[in-house]
Structure formats: structure tokens, C-alpha cells
Amino acid sequence: MSIRTLHLLGSPVLRERSSEVPEVDDHVRELVADLFDTMRAEQGIGLAANQIGTAERVAIVDIGEEEAIVLINPVIVEREGTIRDEEGCLSIPDIYGDVDRAARVVVQTTTLEGNRVAVEATALRARTVQHEIDHLDGILFVDHLSPLKRRMLLKKWKKMRKGQTGYLKQVAPAPVED
Ligand code: NI
């Protein structure tokens, strides 16, 4: 288990369509553990494997208040309603935009024990599930914005990154609270 390097917007792996994992083996379990370590260090609520450089269909969602969801080869099988709310992404720090998402989803996923299950999620948890599954298809939240809004945010992103090279972020452990 370890904190991994985060890939930021501009890194090609974020635009890859990730491959399905053939089975839940030690490699996948380690990947899930690394996702949790890295997401917690960054104080995020979800993370997809390609954000740490592994283009496989594995992601996690943990909004804190409800049980975490491990997504392995996830498929959304039900969607209901629409909510527009602000969204961000650990791979595009400090950039936020309003995105329409289904208010409720049911997602089929494989558990760490290898069982195929259906998990229901609503509100923020549903939003995060959809955001992470987008990652597995090489889609980022800014792709859902109007062309004008997207251009504006990407301009801001470029400005904020001025002088920085590369698209990798070394993640430091989160400070321990007393
Ligand atoms: Ni993201």
C-alpha cells in the first residue's frame, strides 16, 4: 500500500479508455489500497486508477458520510433524475464547474471478494460514481461544460500552471489530526 503520483490534466493516461480487469487478484487489491491511500492524502472523495497512472477499470468513491464504494469493471444500469451541481477533480486542482448528473444511479460492480453486486447511490455519492466512471472512459468533468465555460476554465488552468512543467504531482501524506 502506498501513496502514488497523481496525473494531472495534460497527462495522456487521463484520456485513455481503461481496460477491464480480468479478475480480482493481488494486483487489483493493491491498486484499490493505493487509490484509498492517495485519495485520502489528497482529501478527495473519489479517485480512478488512471489518475495514478494505471489504465484499468478500477476506481473508488468515498464521500465520508456513507459506505465507500469500490468500483471494479463498473457499469451503470439505472439512472434517475438530474441534478446540476459544482464539481472538481484532483487531476485539475482548483478548477470547478457545474455539471448535470443523474440524481440516482444503480451501478454494477465487482467487490474485492470477486462478487458481482449492484450498489445504489444518490446525490453526491451518485455524482461521484458517475465522475469516476467517466475517468475510466477518458472523460473529464470539463468535457461536460459548454465550450465557452470550458475554454474559460482551461485558460485559468494554464495561467495557474505557468512555469510548471510536466503533468505529475507528488502527493504528500495528509497531516495527522490531533
Ligand atoms: Ni476526477
Side-chain angles (χ1 to χ4, degrees), residues 5 7 11 16 30 40-41 50 71 74 76 83 88 94 101 112 119-120 135 143 148 163 169-170 178:
T5 300
H7 287 244
S11 173
E16 262 181 59
E30 199 172 306
R40 283 174 182 149
N50 59 346
L71 297 169
I76 292 176
I83 300 179
D94 304 315
R101 298 283 190 189
L112 285 172
V119 180
E120 184 190 39
H135 272 300
D143 301 340
L148 183 70
K169 180 183 174 186
Q170 303 308 323
D178 292 326

Side-chain angles (χ1 to χ4, degrees), residues 11-155:
S11 173
V13 72
L14 293 180
R15 291 308 194 176
E16 262 181 59
R17 190 177 188 281
S18 299
S19 354
E20 295 212 344
V21 295
E23 59 170 331
V24 181
D25 54 11
D26 284 348
H27 160 75
V28 171
R29 281 186 284 269
E30 199 172 306
L31 180 57
V32 169
D34 288 355
L35 282 169
F36 274 108
D37 285 351
T38 310
M39 182 194 71
R40 283 174 182 149
E42 284 283 289
Q43 290 158 16
I45 57 172
L47 195 63
N50 59 346
Q51 292 181 277
I52 57 172
T54 304
E56 291 178 296
R57 300 187 80 75
V58 177
I60 55 165
V61 169
D62 188 3
I63 64 163
E65 296 142 19
E66 292 171 78
E67 204 184 334
I69 307 174
V70 173
L71 297 169
I72 299 173
N73 300 335
V75 178
I76 292 176
V77 291
E78 271 180 52
R79 296 167 195 271
E80 198 185 326
T82 307
I83 300 179
R84 175 171 295 192
D85 208 347
E86 191 173 71
E87 220 166 279
C89 179
L90 291 178
S91 291
I92 322 174
D94 304 315
I95 296 291
Y96 302 92
D98 285 349
V99 180
D100 288 335
R101 298 283 190 189
R104 172 187 166 273
V105 296
V106 175
V107 61
Q108 265 179 13
T109 181
T110 302
T111 65
L112 285 172
E113 292 73 39
N115 303 313
R116 201 72 183 153
V117 295
V119 180
E120 184 190 39
T122 58
L124 179 61
R125 200 160 167 250
R127 171 172 299 276
T128 313
V129 165
Q130 293 164 83
H131 176 113
E132 300 316 325
I133 292 176
D134 267 1
H135 272 300
L136 303 182
D137 292 322
I139 298 166
L140 298 168
F141 83 90
V142 290
D143 301 340
H144 293 292
L145 306 174
S146 71
L148 183 70
K149 182 77 181 162
R150 182 166 60 241
R151 266 202 305 277
M152 206 184 80
L153 287 179
L154 294 180
K155 211 169 152 184

